[in-house]
Amino acid sequence: MFTSDRVPSLKSVLLASGVVLTLAMGVRHGFGFWMQPISQANGWTRETYSLALAVQNLMWGAFGPIAGMAADRYGTMRVVLVGALAYMAGLLWMAFVTQPMLFVAGSGVFIGLGLACTAFGAVSGIIGRVAPVERRSWAFGISGAASSFGQFLMMPVEQFLISSLGWQQAFYLLAGVLVLAMVPASFWLREPAVAHADGPRQSIAEALGEALGNRSFLLLVAGYFVCGFQVVFIGVHLPAYLKDKGIADPKVAVLALALIGLFNIFGSFLAGKWGGKVPKRYLLSGIYSLRSVAIVMFLLAPLSPVSVYLFAAAMGFLWLSTVPLTNGIIAGVFGVRHMSMLAGVVFFSHQIGSFLGVWLGGYLFALQGNYDVVWGIAIALGVFAGLANLPVDERPLVRGGALKAA
């Protein structure tokens, strides 16, 4: 039931993983819309809900390497099934629980586990194993575009559900849709044991030790930390920031987040395509640097719906375009036998950054009444990541006899 005798086709893997990523990333991208209604209904400050999302992101990262190991060893299908059920439980928990610390802890564990088992880390391994080497970067770009489409698609859907049904009923409906779509899609992600995958015959400990001792891998880890800080801070706090600055029409925030998802489709696809032609480290450096430029221009320009939309489009193009490039470097340097695990390790750094970005946004707002310091940190980190990715070495590792590729 859980495994297949033959390697699945790249087309079926991309379609099935596209469904999973569309829902996993799309639902999560709209969590900022629930900040104000949940906080008002329960009498919380923004810091409580921000902490809950911060813990979700941290647990997503913490579960990521484990989910990756499980996907590499037991198959992607099993992991996605576990993730779908955990994600559903997390959405229902957020709808029911009103005690602050229980809300933070429960939603953090369930949503974090759900995302770890259904997002990039869990499905990157099967994509890398199925795609031919010459099309691998392109395939990662397609999967990134699918998650971006989910962000574009789900923004107006989630806002409509909240406004028309209420925030609790919106959670109920999304939980049902998520399970009913992800479970059938997971059956298309069955694969044989990964002994067919290229890469060294290493144990998990050997593969992990090799990566953590590699300078380029650590630079990717540092860059992904910055990625997480920037995108989650903006994704969660932008609607509240706009309202604080006088743009009270919620449609502006909805359209802005939808534009991030829309332009993310093009950015992820093109990054994957260009990553097969241009050194990926240069593209990564440019993406991080341009994010800082976009934030500076947004903060300096007079705030209006037009400036918000332009900022959203620019950030969207740069949003998840780091994913196919980073995964492409990991696969090219280390092989794909332990691809999901190594992607999960790098993504853990991303989620530590996400934790700090979303939590600091709420904490410093409660302390200072504005987001000025967090915007400044996001700008400085973008410059740092742009420089850190330049010396990344993309050449495959040359190993000794014990670690020769299978």
Side-chain angles (χ1 to χ4, degrees), residues 158-181:
E158 290 176 61
Q159 180 62 39
F160 171 77
L161 292 177
I162 293 171
S163 61
S164 59
L165 301 179
W167 64 270
Q168 287 179 307
Q169 287 73 18
F171 276 137
Y172 302 152
L173 184 59
L174 287 173
V177 169
L178 190 143
V179 168
L180 291 175

Side-chain angles (χ1 to χ4, degrees), residues 3 9 28 30 42 93 104 143 155 246 250 265 285 291 296 353 368 375 382 392 395 397 400:
T3 59
S9 69
R28 170 252 183 190
N42 294 318
W93 188 277
V104 170
S143 67
M155 291 306 94
I265 297 172
S285 178
R291 283 185 186 177
V296 169
Q368 301 175 336
W375 282 120
V392 168
R395 293 173 295 179
L397 288 180

Side-chain angles (χ1 to χ4, degrees), residues 368-390:
Q368 301 175 336
N370 60 63
Y371 292 108
D372 294 350
V373 172
V374 190
W375 282 120
I377 295 172
I379 294 167
L381 286 176
V383 174
F384 162 76
L387 296 173
N389 276 271
L390 285 175

Side-chain angles (χ1 to χ4, degrees), residues 30-72:
F31 278 161
F33 293 137
W34 275 273
M35 177 183 287
Q36 290 178 321
I38 288 182
S39 299
Q40 291 170 2
N42 294 318
W44 300 340
T45 66
R46 291 183 193 177
E47 185 181 0
T48 299
Y49 188 80
S50 296
L51 179 61
L53 295 195
V55 172
Q56 286 179 16
N57 281 284
L58 188 62
M59 297 308 297
W60 180 5
F63 285 126
I66 300 172
M69 292 177 198
D72 287 334

